[in-house]
Amino acid sequence: MVTVFKQLGLIGCGLMGGSFALAMKKAGLVKQVVGYSKSPSTTLRARQRGVIDTEAKSALQACAGSDLILLAVPVAATGAMLKTIREFVRPDVLTMDVGSTKQDVVDAAAKALGWNAQYFVPAHPIAGKEKAGVDAADAQLYRDARVVLTPTEATSVDKLRQAQQLWEALGGRVSVMTPAEHDAAMAAVSHLPHMVAFAYMNGLLGQPEAARLLSLAGPGFRDFTRIAGGDPHLWRDVLLANRSEVAGQLRQLVLALQDFQRVLHAEDAEALEKLITRASDARAQWKPGA
Amino acid sequence: MVTVFKQLGLIGCGLMGGSFALAMKKAGLVKQVVGYSKSPSTTLRARQRGVIDTEAKSALQACAGSDLILLAVPVAATGAMLKTIREFVRPDVLTMDVGSTKQDVVDAAAKALGWNAQYFVPAHPIAGKEKAGVDAADAQLYRDARVVLTPTEATSVDKLRQAQQLWEALGGRVSVMTPAEHDAAMAAVSHLPHMVAFAYMNGLLGQPEAARLLSLAGPGFRDFTRIAGGDPHLWRDVLLANRSEVAGQLRQLVLALQDFQRVLHAEDAEALEKLITRASDARAQWKPGA
């Protein structure tokens, strides 16, 4: 039922792309992987680790002969990359990305590919690790991960089905939604928390006592700020691309914080406990990918 | 050099108290542990797990014959408990708490104990786990944890030294500061993040799409919101007790968020990247208890 691909052309051999290649190999879904990264040392390392079989000197070289192409590059680079490889985006090839924002990717794909954008399936596997890079690539990264596919009206139904079967074969839980729905949801559950974690770190660093404060931080701080260690290029692009949705979610947070300020100012212990209980119960019930 | 205690009177056999008892036993620093919890089933479970040796029917019974008393109860209950056991707070006994706020505890101790407050050493071991309760108690909880002692001008220098040696023997890294310094620092690195995590959950829950949003949340969300699962009674008391410091820290966060809003509105990619890099670098360099 699931297609076995002849060759994966992997563009970007970091954590996301490298993990995809490893997972495809492990599942026996691809015969060979030709990889390209902007940095030759990454491509070399990917081959040394067995993430790819062959190093390509260019993105075009990685695509030549591939019936599956995965773009795992920063979202802001997706449009230019699709333009570069446009001759390979065609009916007999499944092309996907893994970017964290989707409206901008879909717009860039339409612009770069025109009518052939129908053969490109925008994908966002919601997975990650504290460490990025090819050395962190992991065949298990997408197991049980939510994978969002965001077809447009133009997207080929066959390609969409093929993409869905592929991600499910890798252990992903596929959801299909519009690019706008995806971006709105991600603003809420990912982009805003990242921005808040970044801002929180900066708010601490701006205080004269910053070094002492950081030395007193414990396990709660460790977890709350883990995402503040995210890659600046990646998050710059994501926050810019999705800024209006993020701004909308920030308003929700500010309103919820004002509830806390109000009950604290009133020293209303009962109302405060209710606010905390609501959050605590919901968090206790939450399960990833449920 | 480190005192070996004859008997620990443990008041509150949950995660913090239970872990202290287990650590003391493991280190060979106490001969027997008599424990009391408000809930008899907790006390029973503590004995069954070997956290305590003897169940006490009251706090007074746990204190009788003890040369070390640990109060591991909610901070708001500390004053009343110290009043109950006041006859046992005296020169030949080391009494400590483990509460997350210190100014309120110190004030309550002065009121409950008067002159004998000198024999009480306010302590805050900065450690925790996702799960609370006696079943989560762990002899390793305080290993490498920061432990803040907040003596007042009245605190006995001998008792302070004894407390410091004891926590160090359990693997803690002791800092000594005033209650006010402690509360200001904790507002920054712990209490504000908790309030933000609670408010963030509530901001999500208030949206019509909440269930769908939560189903799309991934590992970043999991870590960012872990502390939102905190105990509502405990955090109600902490946020109320330290509300003015928390409000001050919230202002710092709001200012830092406004920096993000400004550069996003201006679509200033360079300035945005600088803001993120500052946070990301600081987080990458941070180590717990450093």
Side-chain angles (χ1 to χ4, degrees):
Chain A
M1 187 157 153
V2 184
T3 319
V4 174
F5 292 91
K6 199 169 79 242
Q7 181 181 303
L8 164 63
L10 181 64
I11 302 176
C13 303
L15 172 64
M16 301 298 280
S19 296
F20 181 83
L22 287 174
M24 287 293 287
K25 286 180 166 205
K26 199 174 176 191
L29 292 176
V30 70
K31 292 193 181 129
Q32 70 158 331
V33 180
V34 181
Y36 166 74
S37 270
K38 206 172 147 192
S39 147
S41 66
T42 300
T43 321
L44 174 64
R45 183 80 190 122
R47 186 174 55 74
Q48 288 170 338
R49 272 207 65 199
V51 168
I52 62 172
D53 304 303
T54 308
E55 294 166 62
K57 289 205 163 48
S58 68
L60 285 173
Q61 201 186 320
C63 294
S66 292
D67 50 354
L68 174 64
I69 296 173
L70 191 81
L71 272 75
V73 299
V75 279
T78 304
M81 186 53 79
L82 283 172
K83 209 165 175 184
T84 302
I85 64 161
R86 59 179 301 163
E87 65 184 290
F88 293 104
V89 181
R90 55 193 192 205
D92 54 331
V93 178
L94 172 62
T95 302
M96 300 186 295
D97 77 323
V98 295
S100 314
T101 49
K102 293 269 75 82
Q103 190 62 59
D104 61 331
V105 164
V106 160
D107 293 346
K111 208 172 150 195
L113 305 173
W115 178 242
N116 280 357
Q118 66 184 297
Y119 308 119
F120 169 69
V121 180
H124 177 203
I126 303 171
K129 270 190 178 183
E130 195 148 3
K131 295 216 164 201
V134 63
D135 284 320
D138 174 357
Q140 298 298 321
L141 187 68
Y142 301 122
R143 181 140 304 276
D144 296 321
R146 177 70 57 182
V147 180
V148 182
L149 304 179
T150 63
T152 65
E153 287 164 19
T155 307
S156 146
V157 172
D158 279 351
K159 290 289 167 229
L160 177 61
R161 191 182 303 124
Q162 212 181 359
Q164 175 153 3
Q165 286 168 351
L166 186 162
W167 284 107
E168 283 173 355
L170 300 184
R173 301 165 189 229
V174 175
S175 293
V176 178
M177 62 186 78
T178 67
E181 285 170 338
H182 168 276
D183 287 2
M186 286 303 117
V189 299
S190 171
H191 307 169
L192 177 69
H194 277 82
M195 191 171 86
V196 170
F198 296 138
Y200 167 70
M201 284 301 297
N202 289 349
L204 271 188
L205 295 168
Q207 299 181 45
E209 295 272 87
R212 198 177 64 92
L213 295 177
L214 286 169
S215 81
L216 293 168
F221 174 93
R222 177 195 63 213
D223 294 345
F224 182 76
T225 60
R226 186 183 67 80
I227 54 178
D231 178 60
H233 284 98
L234 189 158
W235 285 100
R236 174 198 67 189
D237 292 350
V238 167
L239 292 179
L240 269 177
N242 206 18
R243 62 186 175 282
S244 66
E245 290 292 349
V246 172
Q249 287 298 326
L250 179 57
R251 278 191 292 278
Q252 301 292 329
L253 172 62
V254 168
L255 288 172
L257 280 167
Q258 284 170 352
D259 289 341
F260 277 84
Q261 287 181 292
R262 198 181 55 248
V263 302
L264 281 172
H265 183 76
E267 299 181 38
D268 185 341
E270 202 182 324
L272 177 60
E273 190 180 331
K274 271 189 194 162
L275 289 179
I276 299 174
T277 300
R278 187 179 191 210
S280 182
D281 286 353
R283 180 56 180 79
Q285 278 156 32
W286 178 80
K287 279 191 192 113
Chain B
M1 188 159 151
V2 184
T3 318
V4 174
F5 292 89
K6 200 169 79 243
Q7 180 180 304
L8 163 63
L10 181 65
I11 301 176
C13 303
L15 172 64
M16 302 298 280
S19 296
F20 182 82
L22 286 174
M24 287 293 287
K25 285 180 165 202
K26 199 174 175 190
L29 291 176
V30 70
K31 293 194 180 126
Q32 71 157 333
V33 180
V34 181
Y36 166 75
S37 269
K38 204 172 148 192
S39 147
S41 66
T42 300
T43 321
L44 173 63
R45 183 81 190 121
R47 187 174 56 74
Q48 287 170 339
R49 272 205 66 198
V51 168
I52 63 173
D53 303 304
T54 308
E55 293 168 63
K57 289 207 161 49
S58 67
L60 284 174
Q61 200 185 322
C63 293
S66 293
D67 51 353
L68 174 64
I69 295 173
L70 191 81
L71 272 75
V73 298
V75 278
T78 304
M81 186 53 79
L82 283 172
K83 209 165 172 183
T84 302
I85 64 162
R86 59 180 299 166
E87 65 184 289
F88 293 103
V89 182
R90 54 192 192 204
D92 54 331
V93 178
L94 171 62
T95 302
M96 301 187 294
D97 78 324
V98 296
S100 312
T101 49
K102 294 268 78 84
Q103 189 62 60
D104 60 331
V105 164
V106 160
D107 293 345
K111 208 173 149 195
L113 305 173
W115 179 243
N116 280 357
Q118 67 184 297
Y119 308 119
F120 169 70
V121 181
H124 176 204
I126 303 172
K129 268 191 177 182
E130 195 148 1
K131 296 216 166 204
V134 64
D135 284 319
D138 174 356
Q140 298 296 320
L141 187 67
Y142 302 121
R143 181 142 303 277
D144 296 322
R146 177 69 58 182
V147 179
V148 181
L149 304 179
T150 62
T152 65
E153 287 164 18
T155 307
S156 145
V157 172
D158 278 351
K159 289 290 167 227
L160 177 61
R161 191 183 302 123
Q162 211 181 358
Q164 174 151 6
Q165 286 169 351
L166 185 163
W167 284 107
E168 283 173 355
L170 299 184
R173 301 165 188 230
V174 175
S175 292
V176 177
M177 61 187 77
T178 67
E181 284 170 338
H182 168 276
D183 287 1
M186 286 304 116
V189 299
S190 171
H191 307 169
L192 177 70
H194 277 82
M195 191 171 86
V196 170
F198 295 138
Y200 167 70
M201 284 302 297
N202 289 350
L204 271 188
L205 294 169
Q207 299 180 45
E209 295 272 84
R212 198 177 64 91
L213 295 177
L214 287 168
S215 82
L216 294 168
F221 174 93
R222 177 196 64 212
D223 294 347
F224 183 76
T225 60
R226 185 182 68 76
I227 54 178
D231 179 59
H233 284 97
L234 188 158
W235 285 99
R236 175 198 65 188
D237 292 350
V238 166
L239 292 179
L240 269 177
N242 206 19
R243 63 188 176 279
S244 65
E245 290 291 348
V246 172
Q249 287 299 326
L250 180 56
R251 278 192 292 277
Q252 301 292 329
L253 172 62
V254 168
L255 288 172
L257 280 167
Q258 284 170 352
D259 288 341
F260 277 85
Q261 287 181 292
R262 197 180 58 248
V263 301
L264 281 172
H265 184 77
E267 300 181 39
D268 186 341
E270 202 182 324
L272 177 59
E273 189 180 331
K274 270 189 194 163
L275 289 179
I276 298 174
T277 301
R278 187 178 192 212
S280 182
D281 286 354
R283 180 56 179 81
Q285 279 156 31
W286 177 80
K287 280 193 192 110

